[in-house]
Amino acid sequence: MIPNENYKNLKDSYLFYNISQKVNAFIRQNEGVHIYRMGIGDVSLPLCEEVIKALHKAVNDQSAKETFHGYMPECGADFFRKAVGDYYRSRGILIADDEVFVSSGASDELGDILDLLGRDKTALIMEPAYPAYVDANIIWGNRIVRLDAGMENGFLPMPSDIPDRDNLKPDIIYICSPNNPTGAVYDREKLSEWVGYAIKNDAVILFDAAYEAFIEDEALPHSIFEIEGAEKCAIEICSLSKTAGFTGTRCGYTVIPKTLERAGMNLNSMWVRNRTTKTNGVSYIIQRGAAAVFTEEGQRQIKENIKVYKNNARCLMKALDRLGIKYTGGKNAPYIWMQCPGNMGSWEFFDYLLSKAQIVGTPGEGFGKCGEGYFRFSTFGSPEDTEESAARLVRLLG
Ligand code: MLT
């Protein structure tokens, strides 16, 4: 049947598109007004110097016959795969370079990777969740089982929280840690439990590690592959968007261990087969820029940028503490997930903040029903705007 009728099951439009439509309408009615943007997690700082230098050099390489590159290897340039592999190995995670695949970013990859897992599957999605997980599975026609997170489980639901656990056999389990939108982070013990559950059910964990670089607490795991057994049940999807300001530049990476097999098929080899058919890879120039993130100087420079976002988070947390508003996140993640004041609904609070203080955040309901009554702030804005927003919040809600 043409077209794909699953599209009928999607919401009319995507969360961040809805928000931008609302904000644009407000701007049209209030010409010249300054908007404090803390909605979508888009970075405000430019790429670091080390990346820019590598990008410029790569552009020059493309201008000379001797250094010019045509098609790139579909799974990633050797220099890029090695740079990422070294990054993991420097943290004691022994992956091989050919277990790393380049991508044009985590959001694309989180949908594309479903190619590996087959049709008519059951996907377990912990909500509130990044809405692309849900949409990709709806488009694919998968059955979605939602697992609600809330204050009562610290926004870190466990296998024992799964409704009808004895009768459910998920094929795919999404875990995002540090979490978007709640900022909650699984510790090793809890992640081990999920790994054990996935192995027991023959499920594959899609581990979204896009925010790993924001973890401050040393004891918390940055990668699912820090957990024993994960090499038999997990795929890790990572992005340079937030870590290194690549939201507009686009580059990420995916780790698929060669030990990951299901029904006698090897998922790493399957992804090689998929990529060689479906993509011509990521451009030479972008991969050169991305590889520069993993040099010693690149790491030092991106950490300077992350510090700026962490200061933003502290500034907002201080304001919420002062107001006595409950929240999670901010410390090990670039998102702050707060309870809406005065029992307001999350879209109601969105409208209130926009009209009274010109602040844009993201309504929790956009991340799933159980996000109703919550609101997310991104800490990727400019320090000036974040400070002013914090002051406005205190004035408005104090
Ligand atoms: C977000 O705001 O949730 C993210 O920026 C969206 C994304 O990474 O695509």
Side-chain angles (χ1 to χ4, degrees):
M1 162 86 86
I2 291 176
N4 178 350
E5 295 208 323
N6 296 324
Y7 278 74
K8 287 185 187 159
N9 302 325
L10 292 170
K11 285 187 184 164
D12 281 348
S13 52
Y14 192 62
L15 172 64
F16 295 109
Y17 177 79
N18 292 343
I19 291 175
S20 69
Q21 295 294 97
K22 270 188 170 254
V23 174
N24 290 342
F26 182 81
I27 293 172
R28 275 196 301 277
Q29 284 158 13
N30 298 274
E31 226 175 280
V33 71
H34 181 78
I35 301 289
Y36 297 87
R37 294 182 189 272
M38 299 196 294
I40 192 163
D42 197 3
V43 292
S44 55
L45 291 170
L47 295 171
C48 70
E49 190 52 38
E50 191 72 358
V51 169
I52 293 293
K53 261 185 359 209
L55 288 170
H56 280 304
K57 180 174 178 317
V59 170
N60 288 339
D61 287 349
Q62 293 299 71
S63 73
K65 219 164 146 190
E66 299 72 32
T67 48
F68 172 76
H69 286 77
Y71 283 128
M72 295 302 289
E74 299 85 347
C75 299
D78 288 349
F79 65 80
F80 178 78
R81 301 178 94 182
K82 179 170 179 332
V84 176
D86 284 345
Y87 175 63
Y88 274 81
R89 290 185 289 271
S90 72
R91 294 179 289 153
I93 304 166
L94 301 180
I95 60 160
D97 294 351
D98 58 0
E99 294 179 310
V100 175
F101 294 83
V102 73
S103 77
S104 53
S107 46
D108 318 23
E109 196 82 339
L110 281 156
D112 292 349
I113 205 82
L114 294 179
D115 268 12
L116 278 188
L117 307 173
R119 299 221 173 247
D120 300 322
K121 296 294 182 269
T122 299
L124 182 69
I125 299 182
M126 301 171 202
E127 284 193 339
Y130 179 43
Y133 306 159
V134 172
D135 285 2
N137 279 279
I138 290 177
I139 290 171
W140 199 249
N142 282 344
R143 172 176 171 237
I144 296 171
V145 175
R146 292 174 158 85
L147 176 55
D148 286 357
M151 281 287 182
E152 66 293 344
N153 51 25
F155 291 99
L156 295 168
M158 296 304 295
S160 55
D161 296 322
I162 296 172
D164 200 15
R165 185 173 177 207
D166 296 337
N167 295 315
L168 179 77
K169 218 185 145 331
D171 303 295
I172 306 165
I173 300 170
Y174 282 83
I175 300 180
C176 179
S177 178
N179 186 268
N180 176 15
T182 68
V185 190
Y186 280 105
D187 64 19
R188 278 168 215 283
E189 217 173 41
K190 290 192 166 81
L191 268 191
S192 290
E193 236 182 270
W194 275 111
V195 165
Y197 176 78
I199 291 175
K200 190 166 150 232
N201 286 284
D202 246 355
V204 170
I205 294 176
L206 294 180
F207 190 77
D208 180 350
Y211 302 99
E212 63 85 12
F214 292 80
I215 293 177
E216 259 173 52
D217 291 344
E218 281 181 10
L220 292 172
H222 289 235
S223 163
I224 187 92
F225 298 119
E226 291 176 47
I227 309 299
E228 210 187 313
E231 69 287 353
K232 292 195 212 90
C233 67
I235 292 175
E236 179 154 298
I237 294 177
C238 211
S239 158
L240 295 179
S241 287
K242 315 300 158 77
T243 306
F246 271 61
T247 50
T249 308
R250 307 307 304 155
C251 195
Y253 49 91
T254 297
V255 178
I256 308 181
K258 282 183 278 188
T259 41
L260 180 57
E261 296 198 335
R262 286 292 177 275
M265 292 175 82
N266 184 288
L267 276 75
N268 179 292
S269 311
M270 287 165 66
W271 198 234
V272 173
R273 185 68 185 81
N274 180 294
R275 296 291 83 184
T276 47
T277 303
K278 284 202 163 180
T279 166
N280 283 318
V282 171
S283 86
Y284 169 71
I285 296 167
I286 298 299
Q287 290 196 65
R288 277 290 178 202
V293 168
F294 299 99
T295 61
E296 210 180 314
E297 183 54 17
Q299 285 291 299
R300 194 193 64 72
Q301 291 180 3
I302 62 156
K303 282 181 186 142
E304 287 301 309
N305 284 1
I306 288 174
K307 253 192 228 162
V308 172
Y309 300 136
K310 283 193 165 287
N311 276 336
N312 286 347
R314 271 192 285 277
C315 169
L316 284 169
M317 289 193 287
K318 216 163 122 190
L320 296 180
D321 287 339
R322 198 161 150 198
L323 291 164
I325 291 177
K326 278 196 186 153
Y327 61 90
T328 55
K331 183 157 193 287
N332 295 298
Y335 297 117
I336 294 173
W337 179 251
M338 60 170 274
Q339 241 169 3
C340 298
N343 284 326
M344 266 192 253
S346 60
W347 281 104
E348 187 188 356
F349 187 53
F350 174 91
D351 291 333
Y352 180 71
L353 270 192
L354 180 59
S355 64
K356 299 283 183 213
Q358 292 74 60
I359 296 172
V360 176
T362 308
E365 198 261 348
F367 299 99
K369 276 204 185 71
C370 67
E372 180 53 300
Y374 291 93
F375 200 76
R376 191 194 78 173
F377 285 126
S378 147
T379 62
F380 288 113
S382 72
E384 301 73 29
D385 274 12
T386 308
E387 261 171 50
E388 178 58 23
S389 303
R392 286 176 178 228
L393 281 175
V394 171
R395 279 201 299 275
L396 185 67
L397 305 172

